[in-house]
Amino acid sequence: MLAASATSSPAREGNGDVAVVIDRLSKHFGSAPALQDLSAQISYGRLTGLVGPDGAGKTTLMRILTGLLVPTSGHATVAGFDVADDNDAIHVATGYMPQRFGLYEDLSVMENMRLYAQLRGMDADGHADLFAQLLDFTRLAPFTGRLAGKLSGGMKQKLGLACALMARPAVLLLDEPGVGVDPVSRQDLWRMVQALTDEGMAVVWSTANLDEAERCDNVLLLNEGQLAYDGPPGELTARLTSRSFRLEQVGDQRRAVLAEVLSLDSVGDGVIQGAGVRVVLRADAGTEQISALADRVGAQLKAVPARFEDAFIDLLGGGPGGTSALAEGMPPVELASDVAVSCRDLTKRFGDFTATDMVSFEVRKGEIFGLLGPNGAGKSTTFKMLCGLLKPTSGEAQVVGLYLRRATGAAKGQLGYMAQKFSLYGLLSVRQNLEFSAGVYGLKGAARQARIDEMIDIFGLQPWLSAAPESLPLGVRQRLALACAVMHRPPVLFLDEPTSGVDPITRREFWTHINGLARKGVTVMVTTHFMDEAEYCDRVAMLYRARLIALDTPDALKRSAISDLRPDPTMEDAFIHLVEAEDRADEARSGVAA
């Protein structure tokens, strides 16, 4: 097997089962410490999760372990080789898939693989068997001639993994491999990684998705460059026994209830789960406050098992509050109709390829409407048509009663759009991006400057005003993008994967703003690959192969996935269930047609 050949490589050296030794490691950039006195060990045959908030030092540690950065002090060895003294050997011993993987989008799958083989000093013509193994392992064999730029997000990550495995490394370092990847494609990535660790490879998986971290054998949790926890995720989760609860059947009150829950001194964290609100109490806090709140709103308080995400947030001191300064400063939205967004038989074709096929739905004023689906299902295409950025091949779309075919300019003035691929201007500073957005949306004079100052204050952008967007930490970039999208206080907001790659605390901050805006009557349409975020939505539309295959509340979709094996399914379970059910229906239809 591929992994067996990898771990039998001469690159695997070291101290028994220990693949990586980190000894009092520190890294400074100027006077700023990125890592401080870090010590840990990583074992062969195990999946180690590297987690922490934005700026914790995860990517810096990855780059040191691959020999791309030299530590300021301390030492690290990988497969027995010192990262500073044995740099050439480190490059052979490790496979590295960076956060922004450098695929060449104008080259095919096979051309990318051959190029990376040559970059690793391999004879590309002499490794046909290895290429065949990697293509089979990643299930990319049918797509060798496809340009990398035409691959879905999940397929790009699989190609990145194939290239990282090219030299059969002893230690594989994956920096945020699940970013932008749907649950079905993530299953494939997990399958591949599990096969590698089963055969003895050491795999380090950096992630901001704590559902991913919970599946790791061991977790290194970094915070402000220091090691806050080292051990199995279950041991950290166990610290929160009897501190996690859910307010059941809160229904239409859930956003207001969440805001109130997060204002309680006894509560460290809270999130919406379908028609309920999940609550985590602080250490040594009693249930008196939360029980009184449950009685007042007519909800049932139920103890639930703790999750690793609960423990993560608790270890970092709790989540942000439940009040959005952005929403507080916005007047209530008034619309002539209760329907803010609608589309009927919306279809988009690119040549012979159908990206969106006869999609119809309505979104009510003040509703948070989720658009889910695997990579390439048509979500972003649908968004772009509803924003007036793409002209439909057929069908109609309306925003606040304006037909996008006939009143595109007027409709655009009524919406805010945060694109999936970061949409700021790299040659402009943070302040200049804010000023440009204010001008585009017609803000003038004193009102324009007041709104810019408001965005700077709400999103904490003051320290970054002269910086270019690409130099910002990801969480700060996303705050800037959201600030630009809401600058003109639009009644309709389109958010295309707004929290992709950001840590759970920053995601909670975003959803505090989104919930607050919805309570003011702003209609929010959002796509996400974080299934826990889908729980915040009033309704969810599921797209698959360009078609709408389901439309219901999160709780109803979860109920559809109940089985003997899954008596209490998650949104991820529901997502996979819907895709698999549609695949079976397509097979049945094909059989009848044949």
Side-chain angles (χ1 to χ4, degrees), residues 134-341:
L134 290 168
L135 290 167
D136 179 63
F137 185 61
T138 56
R139 297 179 180 172
L140 289 173
F143 309 103
T144 54
R146 184 175 296 184
L147 295 181
K150 300 296 184 182
L151 299 176
S152 69
M155 291 172 72
K156 285 180 179 177
Q157 295 298 75
K158 291 175 191 177
L159 177 56
L161 181 58
C163 292
L165 290 170
M166 190 64 66
R168 302 181 178 184
V171 178
L172 180 63
L173 300 151
L174 307 174
D175 198 357
E176 304 269 11
V179 168
V181 175
D182 67 78
V184 175
S185 296
R186 259 201 310 271
Q187 275 195 322
D188 271 350
L189 287 173
W190 280 110
R191 171 190 61 79
M192 290 183 277
V193 167
Q194 189 64 58
L196 295 168
T197 55
D198 285 349
E199 294 294 338
M201 187 180 289
V203 180
V204 182
W205 181 302
S206 171
T207 182
N209 185 336
L210 297 187
D211 287 342
E212 293 179 351
E214 197 161 18
R215 298 176 66 170
C216 295
D217 299 310
N218 201 70
V219 165
L220 302 178
L221 198 162
L222 302 184
N223 186 37
E224 296 181 347
Q226 297 179 312
L227 187 62
Y229 176 76
D230 178 1
E235 289 185 8
L236 185 62
T237 304
R239 299 181 186 180
L240 267 73
T241 301
S242 304
R243 288 169 56 190
S244 295
F245 297 86
R246 188 163 60 217
L247 292 163
E248 301 278 2
Q249 300 304 316
V250 182
D252 292 341
Q253 306 177 76
R254 62 195 181 283
R255 285 193 265 277
V257 168
L258 175 63
E260 189 171 351
V261 160
L262 292 173
S263 71
L264 299 177
D265 295 335
S266 59
V267 172
D269 188 32
V271 296
I272 287 174
Q273 279 192 326
V277 174
R278 184 184 180 89
V279 181
V280 180
L281 299 183
R282 296 189 183 278
D284 302 321
T287 60
E288 295 82 9
Q289 286 185 327
I290 195 66
S291 295
L293 175 58
D295 291 341
R296 189 167 69 254
V297 301
Q300 178 186 358
L301 186 65
K302 176 183 176 183
V304 294
R307 306 175 305 180
F308 181 72
E309 182 161 326
D310 300 338
F312 175 95
I313 300 294
D314 181 71
L315 187 66
L316 298 182
T323 301
S324 166
L326 177 65
E328 291 293 304
M330 184 171 180
V333 171
E334 300 292 339
L335 294 180
S337 169
D338 284 338
V339 177
V341 179

Side-chain angles (χ1 to χ4, degrees), residues 396-449:
E396 290 290 351
Q398 293 185 56
V399 174
V400 295
L402 299 169
Y403 281 95
L404 285 166
R405 282 184 184 274
R406 299 195 292 268
T408 303
K412 285 181 180 178
Q414 298 296 307
L415 58 89
Y417 176 53
M418 183 174 167
Q420 180 182 18
K421 291 188 176 178
F422 197 62
S423 53
L424 298 173
Y425 291 89
L427 297 178
L428 302 181
S429 68
V430 168
R431 180 183 290 280
Q432 288 168 335
N433 268 280
L434 291 169
E435 291 172 344
F436 179 79
S437 295
V440 166
Y441 288 121
L443 297 173
K444 298 178 181 178
R448 176 176 179 269
Q449 190 57 51

Side-chain angles (χ1 to χ4, degrees), residues 68-188:
L68 298 176
L69 288 176
V70 177
T72 303
S73 62
H75 302 277
T77 61
V78 179
F81 302 111
D82 187 277
V83 295
D85 297 336
D86 304 314
N87 199 263
D88 289 343
I90 288 291
H91 292 162
V92 175
T94 59
Y96 178 44
M97 181 175 162
Q99 197 172 108
R100 295 179 181 178
F101 189 72
L103 293 175
Y104 292 85
E105 297 205 343
D106 292 334
L107 298 182
S108 69
V109 167
M110 180 57 76
E111 287 168 341
N112 268 280
M113 291 178 64
R114 290 176 62 85
L115 175 60
Y116 273 88
Q118 292 166 355
L119 292 173
R120 297 300 294 259
M122 301 166 60
D123 177 10
D125 294 327
H127 288 81
D129 289 346
L130 175 61
F131 288 170
Q133 278 184 298
L134 290 168
L135 290 167
D136 179 63
F137 185 61
T138 56
R139 297 179 180 172
L140 289 173
F143 309 103
T144 54
R146 184 175 296 184
L147 295 181
K150 300 296 184 182
L151 299 176
S152 69
M155 291 172 72
K156 285 180 179 177
Q157 295 298 75
K158 291 175 191 177
L159 177 56
L161 181 58
C163 292
L165 290 170
M166 190 64 66
R168 302 181 178 184
V171 178
L172 180 63
L173 300 151
L174 307 174
D175 198 357
E176 304 269 11
V179 168
V181 175
D182 67 78
V184 175
S185 296
R186 259 201 310 271
Q187 275 195 322
D188 271 350

